[in-house]
Amino acid sequence: MTTTLPTPDVLATVDLGSNTFRLQVSRVVEDQLYPLDAMKETVRLGAGLTADKYLDDVTQEKALACMARFGERLRGFSPRQVRIVGTNTLRVAKNSAEFIQRAEALLGFPIEIIAGREEARLVYIGAAHSLPATKERRLVVDIGGGSTEFVIGSQFKAHVTESLPLGCVSFSLRYFADGKLSRSNFADATLAARNEIQRIASEYRPEEWQLAVGTSGTARSLRDILEINDWSASDITLDGMLQLRAELIKRENLKNVSLNGLKADRLPVLPGGLAIMIAIFEELGVSKMTVAEGALRDGVLYDLLGRQREKDMRESTVQLFKRRYHVDVQQSERVQLLAERLYRMVAGEDIDQDMLKRLVWAARLHEIGLTIAHTAYHKHSAYILQNADMPGFSKREQAMLATIVLGHRGDMGKMQQVVHDSALWQAVVALRLAVLFYRSRHPIPLSDLLDLKSAAKGFVLSVSKNWLKDNPLTASAFRQEVLQWKNVGFELEINQI
């Protein structure tokens, strides 16, 4: 049997949510996406979190079985056509690294764990592409299985983003144990949600937006239930939700609940989602909320499309960080160009284009820690890159940027615990040497003066003998550099030409 490979104008995304796993395949026509295929499985990954934040074995196996099915559908796709994101549960699970390794083997592609605010940004992009192209400011709310994202944006741009630990899965398990539906349980759940939302209420007050929009399963489920049961006309309203709450309390237990418009897979998480949505309406002064069909998976697809069309959000973030941290632009550009050149030399024909991009970004941002202190500034730079909200970047990408920047100066001993990949070592040596060459912070004509190659046990740096003679300080730094690499098991040979 012949397998038909997807054409380059087809993109796929997988959203590993805390309640539902979704795969979507779409065809690109100009700058629009048209769905070709979709798969959805209610895994409830968030329900598998133990009290000490470990994913239990039963839930892992259920999730991995789903990954195997998704992996079959993704066969034949190239890495540039696929993006897979993990959300709240994979952010907080202490054993997520081991689980992700097994999942990636089944999917055939890397999994990006995205931060809460990055999730909010992507949710907004997905919602915006399914809404009319009007200019009003929108409040977009996405109640997921483990977290809820809040965004204020206009057209296709998110202005304010936030993520809170409010999830329909986690709240249903915490406040409605064994499916019990009581007035006090709803009161406790709603109050807990309001306490969290209160922290961000000043930024999301009604004067800041004109239209409230809900996305994803909870919002769609509430809209359908309220409309079909004549508790609201077409949108989600507070009065309609209060009528639904009263009906649930009357039934006393989830096993007694059967409502028009309520799908079986939404029943276990309905009370938690309802309590959170009521809290949002009460705390943020929402009177009515419309529902958008676009959600996180759509936002990921459009973001992936943007990367292919040279509209990469990561580039915008790097430029923002350069301004925010007052980077010496001329120095960063000098270092970037030389680091890129050295990396191409040392990588040869096996160049890792993704690593090259990360090296370029790291070179542009390697000095951002100077705004904190000159002493150990590389550690400050790495800390910022590891922990800051960086729209467009996954947590793994941020960790790689931080690692490259951490290694660009100082004792190399710290790198042995964090670098386990040859391409990453190549990026580290490229940036480290580029910084040494431009220690004077002045332009240097280096066109024919140097070369860098990989060797059996490390690297060979070839430098003009005359140049080294004219630059004794740099020559001395290279001799020290040989010792640093020896401390981590590499040979750095300095060859004079």
Side-chain angles (χ1 to χ4, degrees):
M1 184 178 72
T2 302
T3 300
T4 302
L5 298 180
T7 56
D9 62 351
V10 174
L11 301 178
T13 186
V14 178
D15 168 13
L16 303 176
S18 298
N19 185 54
T20 307
F21 287 3
R22 295 176 182 271
L23 181 151
Q24 184 165 312
V25 179
S26 295
R27 178 168 169 257
V28 180
V29 179
E30 295 181 352
D31 285 332
Q32 294 299 315
L33 294 167
Y34 296 88
L36 292 177
D37 193 10
M39 297 173 66
K40 168 190 170 185
E41 294 199 23
T42 304
V43 176
R44 295 218 169 83
L45 196 66
L49 271 181
T50 62
D52 53 353
K53 302 295 183 185
Y54 282 88
L55 272 174
D56 65 42
D57 292 340
V58 173
T59 305
Q60 285 195 54
E61 293 307 316
K62 183 179 180 181
L64 291 169
C66 174
M67 304 281 195
R69 291 186 283 274
F70 283 10
E72 179 184 347
R73 180 62 183 85
L74 292 172
R75 284 178 196 163
F77 281 83
S78 69
R80 66 182 294 273
Q81 292 175 275
V82 180
R83 192 175 177 198
I84 302 172
V85 298
T87 57
N88 183 261
T89 298
L90 293 179
R91 286 196 290 265
V92 303
K94 294 179 180 177
N95 57 340
S96 64
E98 297 89 338
F99 170 77
I100 288 170
Q101 187 175 15
R102 297 174 66 192
E104 287 179 337
L106 294 169
L107 288 165
F109 298 92
I111 297 171
E112 301 178 27
I113 307 304
I114 53 176
R117 284 181 171 168
E118 172 65 358
E119 183 179 350
R121 184 185 73 86
L122 293 170
V123 163
Y124 181 81
I125 293 172
H129 276 89
S130 66
L131 292 169
T134 50
K135 294 184 178 180
E136 80 269 90
R137 286 170 68 90
R138 305 155 175 157
L139 166 67
V140 174
V141 176
D142 181 282
I143 300 175
S147 64
T148 296
E149 281 63 53
F150 300 80
V151 190
I152 292 177
S154 56
Q155 296 185 312
F156 298 109
K157 184 173 179 58
H159 302 302
V160 185
T161 57
E162 191 56 82
S163 177
L164 297 179
L166 310 170
C168 61
V169 174
S170 56
F171 264 54
S172 294
L173 290 171
R174 188 183 310 163
Y175 295 102
F176 303 94
D178 301 320
K180 293 181 181 177
L181 304 170
S182 67
R183 191 173 301 278
S184 62
N185 286 355
F186 270 105
D188 291 344
T190 305
L191 182 60
R194 288 192 67 168
N195 283 337
E196 284 287 341
I197 299 165
Q198 191 176 56
R199 298 192 293 111
I200 66 168
S202 61
E203 293 182 280
Y204 291 84
R205 59 188 186 275
E207 307 91 81
E208 300 296 329
W209 46 269
Q210 289 83 49
L211 176 70
V213 181
T215 68
S216 294
T218 292
R220 284 194 291 270
S221 181
L222 289 175
R223 176 200 60 190
D224 293 346
I225 294 169
L226 299 186
E227 183 177 355
I228 292 174
N229 291 279
D230 293 326
W231 290 326
S232 72
S234 59
D235 298 316
I236 301 172
T237 62
L238 181 58
D239 183 62
M241 288 192 293
L242 295 179
Q243 292 183 68
L244 171 58
R245 183 177 67 180
E247 185 65 27
L248 293 178
I249 292 171
K250 189 187 302 182
R251 305 292 178 92
E252 296 184 345
N253 196 288
L254 276 179
K255 64 184 180 183
N256 304 321
V257 175
S258 177
L259 295 169
N260 293 328
L262 174 60
K263 297 178 180 178
D265 65 330
R266 298 302 309 181
L267 177 60
V269 297
L270 175 62
L274 175 61
I276 293 168
M277 189 66 87
I278 289 173
I280 291 169
F281 270 60
E282 291 179 341
E283 197 63 36
L284 299 185
V286 180
S287 59
K288 182 176 68 173
M289 179 179 285
T290 190
V291 177
E293 295 305 314
L296 176 61
R297 60 192 178 280
D298 304 283
V300 173
L301 280 169
Y302 276 104
D303 202 57
L304 179 59
L305 177 60
R307 293 182 180 186
Q308 296 187 351
R309 301 291 173 85
E310 297 183 355
K311 299 176 183 177
D312 194 334
M313 185 64 194
R314 294 172 296 180
E315 284 286 349
S316 300
T317 296
V318 169
Q319 293 301 321
L320 173 64
F321 271 52
K322 286 171 66 176
R323 293 192 299 272
R324 178 185 296 171
Y325 294 101
H326 310 292
V327 166
D328 181 337
V329 175
Q330 291 182 328
Q331 174 69 0
S332 70
E333 287 181 355
R334 285 191 289 263
V335 169
Q336 175 217 312
L337 290 172
L338 181 54
E340 183 177 355
R341 181 180 165 198
L342 290 169
Y343 182 77
R344 291 183 183 278
M345 290 176 176
V346 76
E349 295 180 357
D350 298 325
I351 190 166
D352 183 330
Q353 294 294 339
D354 289 332
M355 188 62 71
L356 178 59
K357 280 185 178 180
R358 294 169 190 137
L359 171 61
V360 167
W361 291 324
R364 292 178 187 172
L365 301 177
H366 74 281
E367 289 189 334
I368 59 176
L370 285 172
T371 57
I372 299 174
H374 184 272
T375 303
Y377 78 82
H378 59 300
K379 296 180 181 178
H380 301 313
S381 298
Y383 181 85
I384 293 169
L385 293 172
Q386 178 85 54
N387 295 283
D389 286 317
M390 298 185 68
F393 286 92
S394 69
K395 299 306 289 183
R396 179 183 293 181
E397 285 177 320
Q398 288 187 233
M400 286 190 180
L401 291 185
T403 298
I404 297 169
V405 167
L406 181 65
H408 88 264
R409 69 180 297 230
D411 184 3
M412 286 287 288
K414 61 185 179 292
M415 303 305 294
Q416 282 185 305
Q417 302 301 316
V418 292
V419 183
H420 308 285
D421 175 80
S422 60
L424 193 51
W425 278 120
Q426 291 169 349
V428 170
V429 72
L431 181 57
R432 197 171 173 93
L433 293 176
V435 170
L436 283 180
F437 270 109
Y438 283 113
R439 185 175 182 178
S440 68
R441 308 183 77 85
H442 294 299
I444 303 172
L446 292 171
S447 56
D448 300 314
L449 295 175
L450 77 160
D451 188 32
L452 181 65
K453 300 295 184 189
S454 288
K457 297 182 180 180
F459 311 102
V460 178
L461 174 66
S462 299
V463 190
S464 164
K465 181 188 299 185
N466 292 333
W467 190 89
L468 287 174
K469 183 179 178 180
D470 292 339
N471 295 272
L473 182 62
T474 305
S476 174
F478 285 151
R479 290 193 291 272
Q480 294 297 318
E481 193 67 9
V482 170
L483 297 176
Q484 287 292 338
W485 284 94
K486 185 176 181 180
N487 289 338
V488 291
F490 286 85
E491 290 182 4
L492 175 62
E493 180 184 344
I494 308 298
N495 180 28
Q496 298 186 33
I497 55 176

